[in-house]
Amino acid sequence: MGNFTLPLARRARRVVGVEGDAGLVAKAGNNAARNGVGNAAFVKENLFEPAQFGPWANEPYDFGAARSAASGRFRTAPAMAHWRPRRVVYISCHPGSLARDAETLVHAQGFKLTCAGVMDMFPQTTHVESIAVFEGPE
């Protein structure tokens, strides 16, 4: 729906939001139009099949924001080696997937973990959002 992409677009030259659900991609496009955001593009991709990503995936990116779902099946970190962003903000509702991908980002790709935290967005439940910021290799 553009929850991350649209605010980022206000501070970037161009932003690409990638989502696996066509309905959410359409809603994100509508939200961008309704809010006058013209520098955001939205792409539907099967996020579990990075080898089949479209042309957007061949472009370099300065910044990456990754959102990992509870299943933890989508492995975001391997794609970061190709894109080489200067900074990655990783948001996960599954701390285990964040830990797994942090290991890849830091040990295999040379990123540096600069800060991390937990947001209790749903008080009175066990659900938390884990957030980590990684700086790219020099």
Side-chain angles (χ1 to χ4, degrees):
M1 292 185 54
N3 291 345
F4 295 109
T5 308
L6 296 178
L8 289 171
R10 300 238 183 247
R11 300 190 67 176
R13 183 172 44 89
R14 183 170 162 271
V15 179
V16 177
V18 183
E19 167 61 48
D21 183 282
L24 292 177
V25 170
K27 287 180 182 182
N30 291 338
N31 286 338
R34 193 175 358 213
N35 288 284
V37 177
N39 63 333
F42 299 93
V43 179
K44 181 198 173 295
E45 288 282 6
N46 179 350
L47 299 173
F48 301 106
E49 297 295 335
Q52 299 175 16
F53 283 172
W56 68 270
N58 295 323
E59 299 178 30
Y61 293 93
D62 291 332
F63 176 83
R67 173 76 170 87
S68 180
S71 70
R73 292 186 333 186
F74 174 50
R75 296 184 66 100
T76 304
M80 294 302 166
H82 171 73
W83 295 319
R84 305 309 290 169
R86 291 182 308 196
R87 179 174 295 142
V88 173
V89 176
Y90 191 112
I91 305 156
S92 179
C93 62
H94 186 265
S97 65
L98 173 59
R100 177 203 63 214
D101 286 347
E103 179 181 20
T104 301
L105 287 167
V106 171
H107 295 293
Q109 297 181 15
F111 283 84
K112 180 180 179 183
L113 176 64
T114 58
C115 64
V118 176
M119 285 286 265
D120 185 4
M121 295 177 58
F122 306 98
Q124 316 308 325
T125 72
T126 59
H127 180 85
V128 296
E129 294 286 331
S130 303
I131 304 167
V133 178
F134 300 88
E135 297 293 330
E138 296 294 320

